[in-house]
Amino acid sequence: MVGVPLLSACAGGDGAGTPAAGILVDPLLVPIVDPLPTPVVEPPLIPVEARDDYRLQWGLDAIGASRAFARIRARDGQDQEGRFLPPGIGGYVVIVDTGVDREHPDLPESLVLEDLFFRSGQDEQGDEFSHGTAVTGVISARYDLEENDVLGVAPGAVVSVIALPLGSADVTRPYTPIGVDQLQGYGNYLARVLARVPLKPRRITFTPPLPVPIDNPVLPNAINLSFGQHGLIEDYTEASLRLLAALFIRAEFRTADGEQFVHVVAAGNANGFGGGCIAGTRHCEGNSTVHTANHFRATSPELLAGLPVHIAELRDNWVAVVAVDRDRRIAAFSNRCGVAARWCLAAPGAGVPVLYYGPDLDEDPPTPGARGVRGVNGTSFAAPHVSGGLALLEHAFRGDLSNVQLLDRLYQTAEVTPDPVPPGAECPAHLDIDGDRSNCELSSLYGRGMINLDTAAAPVGTLTTGGVQVHTGLPVAGSLLRGGGATGDALLQALAGRELAVFDSLGAPFWMDATRFVRDLPAHPPALQSSVADWTRAASVPSARGSHFSPLQAYRGSTQTLAITAFASAGGMQGLGVAWTPTPGFGLGLGWLDESDSLLQMRSSGAFGNLGGNSLIAGFSGGLDSGPWRTALAAELGVAWPAVDGPLLQAAGPLLSSGWSLSLQRQGVYNGTLQLALQQPVRVEHGGLQLQLPTGRTPGGTVLYEQHHLSLSPAGRQLDLALHWTTTLAGGELTLGTVWSHQPGHRRARADLSTLLNFTLGL
C-alpha cells in the first residue's frame, strides 16, 4: 500500500501557537487515524447584529464589503416588491471542504446547489464542528433579522460544496514538511478532486425586477481550498513540484476562450505551530530538545498555497490568502506571504464570526446538531473572504471580466504598505514588480495587501466611453448632450431607463444612467417681450421666441416687396433668408441655416462628437383687418439634416420641425393696444439621431454596443396664451401682460402663469 500524505484544514490557532486544524486523507490509501472534530478556538458565541451595512462584522467592514454592496445596490435598484437584490448574484464558488449544513437557517438553501461526496465523504450529522459550513457562511450567509446572524461577502452567489473526509491535526508532533517522495500521491488525490468541479450557468441579466438566467455554462469564479499540507513553498524546487503541478494543470477545465477558475488557497496556520519544531531544522527558532518549546516561523505559505512560486502556468489563477486580525495586522498563527508575495493577498481570519453547526458545547455532555454563530481563527476563513470577493465582483461587473481579470483587480486595488528598503540595499526580487529595485511594491507579510472590495468595485483612474477596445475611448468628462428649445425633454425621454457603459483605467466596465450625460435647457419662458415687440406689427415669421431664426433674431419680415438677409455669427452659425411681401399683411419666407456646432440649439461634445447640420425653413404670414380688430397668423416648417462627427452619435435622416403663432389685436383700448395671442415655439415633430450605446465589454477587451434610436421629438407641446396691453407714457412705452404656458419647454409638465410689467424709454 502506497501512503498519501496528510492534508490539514486551515482552521487557525489562538494566536499563541495552538492551531486548530483537520486532516484530509485518501480513504483508499490511508485510514483516518484521528477522527476527532476540528476544535473551535473561541468557544463563546459572538453576537452579530444583522445589518446590511455590515458594521458589526469587523471582517466585512475591513474589506469594504458594505460599501461595495452599496455601489451595486445604487446601480441595480429594487425589484417589484421593493427589495434590493442580494450582492453576488451571478457569482459562483466551489468549496472543497468537509461538507455543508444545508438546513442552517442562515444559508440560502436554494443557492447552495450541491453537496457532492468525494470517495468516503459523508453528510455531516452535527456531532463534529462543520468546518465546511463555517467556510460556506463566510461567502453566502444571508441574515434573517434575528440575533447572532452572519452576513456573507456575496450572499447572492451560488455555492457548490465538494465534501471530503477531514480529521484533526496532531499538535503533539513537531512541524514536519511533506517529503518529495509523497508529492505524486498528494497530487493524484487533489487532481481527482478538481476534476469533480461542477459547472453552472453563469450569465445573468441584471435588470430589475428579477434576474433572468441565461443558459451559458462556464467555470466558477473560484474554487476555495481551505486546507493544506505542511511544508513551506520556499523549501521546494520547481523540479520537485513539476509532476505535482502537471497533475493540477491536466485536471483543470477551461472554456473555449481560455477562461479558467481561480484557486483561492488558505496560506496555512503554521506560524508558532502548536507542536513546535525540532531544533536545528529550517525555520525553527530555539534549541530545546523538547520540540514544543521551540517556535516555528512560517515565512511563506504552505506548499499547496504557494505553488505559483515555482510553477509559472499557475500564476494567473492561483492565490494564497494570509489572515489578519482586528487591528489589520498579520495574525500570529498565520503563514506569511514571503516568496509568494506576488500571488498572495490578506483577508480577515482572526475572531471571525462564522456559521456554526456541531455539538452544543453548552450542554454536558455536548449534544449534536447545534446551530448558531461562533468566532474562529484561521486562514481557512480568510480564504473565503477572497473567494466571496471574486463572486461579488462578478456581480459588480456583470460577468464582463474574466476570473483572472477579477483576481488582478483585487491585486491592483489591495491596500499594502511595501517593505522598506534599507539605505544602500536592494528590494528582494520577490517583492519587486516594476524592476526598480530601489524600492519595493509588495509586502513580505501581506503580499499584494489587504483586499478592499469598495476600491475594487469603484472606478480607478479616468473613465472613458470606450472605442473599439476599452482603452481607446474618449474621456467621460466633457461628454455631454445639450438639449435645445425645439427638442424639449426629448433627450431625457429617449434615454430614460437606459445605461451607458464606461470604462476605468484598468478596463473595468461601469454602468451609468444615460440621462446623466444630458444637460437640458430650461423650459421656454413665456414669450412676453417678443410677442409685444413682434406681434404688434406684421411679420413673415412668428415671434423671435417661436422662430427657427430665434438664436440670432436676424431674420424678420419686411414691408418691402422683397428682402434678402445674409448673416454669420462667431458661434459657427450662418445663413440666408429671403422674405417676399407682395401685399401689405401677407408674406412668404424661405431661409437656409448652416450650423457648425449646434442643431436647432442642441449641442454635443466629447464622446458624442460635434453636432451640426443644415436647415431649410419655409414660412408665411398673413393678416386680416376687421373693423378695429386685426387678426394675424404666421407659421414655419423646417427640415434639418444633421451632421455628426462623434463615435457615439450618427445621423439618422432629416428632422422635421414647426412653429406658429395666431394673434388678435385692437388699438384704442384705454389709449393703448390690446393683443391676445396663441403661439407654439419651434418644436421637432419627427426624426432623431442614431446612438451607439456602449453596453459592456468582452473579457478580451472589445467594447459591446447596442444601436438605439434617439428620437428628438419631445413628449409635450408648448402653447403660450398671452394677453398684453401697451400704451405710451412719459415719452416711453408701458406694457402690462400675462401669459399662460401649457407644457412649457415642450415637456409634459404643469402649466405656468407669468405676468409682465415693462417700461421702455426711448432716447
Side-chain angles (χ1 to χ4, degrees):
M1 178 178 291
V2 179
V4 170
L6 302 181
L7 297 142
S8 61
C10 297
D14 58 7
T18 306
I23 302 297
L24 171 64
V25 298
D26 187 335
L28 296 179
L29 301 177
V30 178
I32 295 179
V33 296
D34 188 354
L36 296 178
T38 303
V40 178
V41 179
E42 298 180 13
L45 289 177
I46 299 179
V48 180
E49 183 177 352
R51 292 188 179 183
D52 61 5
D53 63 4
Y54 305 359
R55 285 182 299 172
L56 297 185
Q57 289 181 252
W58 79 266
L60 294 181
D61 181 68
I63 64 174
S66 63
R67 295 177 292 279
F69 181 22
R71 294 180 186 276
I72 298 172
R73 183 172 60 183
R75 182 197 68 194
D76 290 353
Q78 298 168 289
D79 64 17
Q80 290 178 332
E81 298 181 5
R83 299 171 302 182
F84 290 106
L85 301 177
I89 284 181
Y92 177 36
V93 178
V94 172
I95 297 174
V96 180
D97 218 288
T98 62
V100 63
D101 174 26
R102 296 186 64 200
E103 298 180 2
H104 198 290
D106 289 329
L107 279 180
E109 185 175 357
S110 61
L111 295 179
V112 180
L113 290 182
E114 296 164 341
D115 193 0
L116 305 177
F117 304 107
F118 187 77
R119 297 299 182 183
S120 65
Q122 298 179 358
D123 194 8
E124 295 178 306
Q125 303 300 315
D127 54 350
E128 298 180 359
F129 167 59
S130 176
H131 186 273
T133 298
V135 169
T136 302
V138 173
I139 297 172
S140 59
R142 296 177 69 175
Y143 64 89
D144 57 10
L145 303 181
E146 295 180 1
E147 291 184 358
N148 296 336
D149 286 342
V150 172
L151 186 60
V153 179
V158 173
V159 172
S160 291
V161 179
I162 300 178
L164 299 174
L166 284 172
S168 62
D170 185 358
V171 296
T172 65
R173 301 177 60 187
Y175 184 91
T176 305
I178 183 175
V180 174
D181 59 336
Q182 297 175 299
L183 291 179
Q184 183 174 357
Y186 179 36
N188 275 326
Y189 183 78
L190 291 182
R192 292 199 301 272
V193 173
L194 294 181
R196 293 291 300 273
V197 172
L199 305 180
K200 68 167 272 287
R202 177 183 177 192
R203 287 282 183 179
I204 292 180
T205 299
F206 297 91
T207 302
L210 293 174
V212 180
I214 298 176
D215 188 14
N216 179 30
V218 294
L219 291 172
N221 301 113
I223 179 168
N224 191 91
L225 306 175
S226 286
F227 56 81
Q229 171 61 53
H230 281 178
L232 302 188
I233 189 62
E234 62 192 274
D235 296 335
Y236 297 85
T237 65
E238 178 183 354
S240 65
L241 297 176
R242 177 51 63 179
L243 178 59
L244 170 65
L247 295 170
F248 277 111
I249 295 169
R250 189 163 60 245
E252 282 199 352
F253 181 89
R254 297 177 183 235
T255 59
D257 59 359
E259 172 72 308
Q260 54 193 325
F261 55 72
V262 175
H263 302 76
V264 181
V265 191
N269 310 305
N271 198 65
F273 179 64
C277 51
I278 297 175
T281 59
R282 284 178 61 85
H283 313 291
C284 188
E285 295 178 339
N287 55 12
S288 174
T289 57
V290 179
H291 56 79
T292 54
N294 299 323
H295 180 84
F296 184 79
R297 293 183 66 249
T299 53
S300 62
E302 302 276 26
L303 171 68
L304 181 61
L307 278 178
V309 172
H310 298 302
I311 309 301
E313 297 94 320
L314 300 178
R315 289 173 179 172
D316 288 340
N317 67 323
W318 200 288
V319 60
V321 186
V322 300
V324 297
D325 59 23
R326 293 175 184 266
D327 295 324
R328 281 61 164 177
R329 296 178 179 174
I330 192 76
F333 56 81
S334 175
N335 288 49
R336 279 51 174 159
C337 287
V339 296
R342 294 188 185 184
W343 310 280
C344 189
L345 287 167
V352 177
V354 299
L355 300 185
Y356 178 80
Y357 178 56
D360 188 343
L361 303 181
D362 293 330
E363 299 287 338
D364 189 16
T367 56
R371 296 182 173 95
V373 174
R374 302 194 82 86
V376 295
N377 291 345
T379 57
S380 279
F381 313 109
H385 282 86
V386 174
S387 297
L390 292 169
L392 184 68
L393 294 184
E394 175 77 7
H395 182 176
F397 300 119
R398 297 177 174 173
D400 282 8
L401 299 181
S402 70
N403 294 329
V404 171
Q405 289 165 343
L406 294 179
L407 176 60
D408 185 66
R409 192 165 184 90
L410 287 182
Y411 287 159
Q412 297 288 343
T413 57
E415 298 177 348
V416 63
T417 300
D419 280 15
V421 178
E426 285 189 340
C427 175
H430 62 272
L431 301 180
D432 177 68
I433 293 180
D434 62 6
D436 180 3
R437 301 284 291 276
S438 64
N439 56 71
C440 296
E441 287 77 48
L442 305 177
S443 165
S444 58
L445 296 180
Y446 310 102
R448 296 278 187 160
M450 177 84 159
I451 64 169
N452 188 323
L453 296 181
D454 177 37
T455 305
V460 175
T462 301
L463 285 174
T464 63
T465 56
V468 177
Q469 295 287 313
V470 292
H471 295 297
T472 60
L474 295 174
V476 168
S479 295
L480 296 173
L481 288 170
R482 299 180 183 274
T487 59
D489 62 357
L491 291 175
L492 292 175
Q493 293 292 330
L495 294 176
R498 297 278 178 174
E499 291 180 321
L500 191 148
V502 298
F503 306 92
D504 72 357
S505 296
L506 299 180
F510 294 85
W511 289 266
M512 299 175 63
D513 184 342
T515 61
R516 293 179 59 183
F517 292 89
V518 176
R519 296 294 184 268
D520 212 13
L521 290 180
H524 280 307
L528 292 171
Q529 297 188 43
S530 62
S531 60
V532 172
D534 296 307
W535 294 351
T536 56
R537 62 180 69 92
S540 62
V541 294
S543 69
R545 176 64 60 179
S547 171
H548 290 80
F549 292 91
S550 59
L552 290 176
Q553 299 188 13
Y555 176 32
R556 293 288 183 272
S558 173
T559 57
Q560 302 174 1
T561 301
L562 183 65
I564 300 176
T565 304
F567 56 85
S569 74
M573 182 182 295
Q574 56 190 358
L576 178 68
V578 179
W580 180 44
T581 311
T583 62
F586 178 77
L588 296 174
L590 187 65
W592 177 263
L593 274 177
D594 179 31
E595 300 175 82
S596 61
D597 60 357
S598 65
L599 182 66
L600 299 177
Q601 296 182 295
M602 188 177 77
R603 299 176 183 271
S604 62
S605 61
F608 296 102
N610 186 62
L611 177 63
N614 298 308
S615 302
L616 179 65
I617 304 102
F620 78 91
S621 65
L624 178 65
D625 293 323
S626 178
W629 293 95
R630 177 173 178 79
T631 303
L633 174 65
E636 285 181 356
L637 181 65
V639 181
W641 291 269
V644 191
D645 63 1
L648 300 186
L649 278 184
Q650 297 176 355
L655 308 178
L656 300 180
S657 56
S658 70
W660 55 266
S661 66
L662 175 65
S663 65
L664 187 64
Q665 177 181 303
R666 178 171 179 169
Q667 296 181 348
V669 178
Y670 295 105
N671 298 321
T673 300
L674 181 68
Q675 177 178 267
L676 178 66
L678 180 65
Q679 172 194 8
Q680 178 210 287
V682 175
R683 179 185 186 273
V684 173
E685 303 293 346
H686 178 74
L689 299 170
Q690 198 72 18
L691 178 63
Q692 290 276 90
L693 195 67
T695 59
R697 55 160 286 175
T698 67
T702 301
V703 179
L704 303 175
Y705 290 92
E706 176 184 277
Q707 293 279 345
H708 178 60
H709 180 69
L710 198 65
S711 173
L712 297 181
S713 180
R717 184 180 297 274
Q718 179 175 342
L719 296 175
D720 296 332
L721 182 62
L723 179 64
H724 299 150
W725 176 75
T726 303
T727 188
T728 57
L729 179 66
E733 186 177 78
L734 175 66
T735 299
L736 300 176
T738 183
V739 175
W740 178 81
S741 185
H742 170 70
Q743 294 185 342
H746 298 312
R747 297 170 172 84
R748 288 179 177 171
R750 292 193 310 172
D752 183 66
L753 183 64
S754 303
T755 58
L756 171 71
L757 172 61
N758 182 67
F759 179 73
T760 303
L761 181 63
L763 297 176

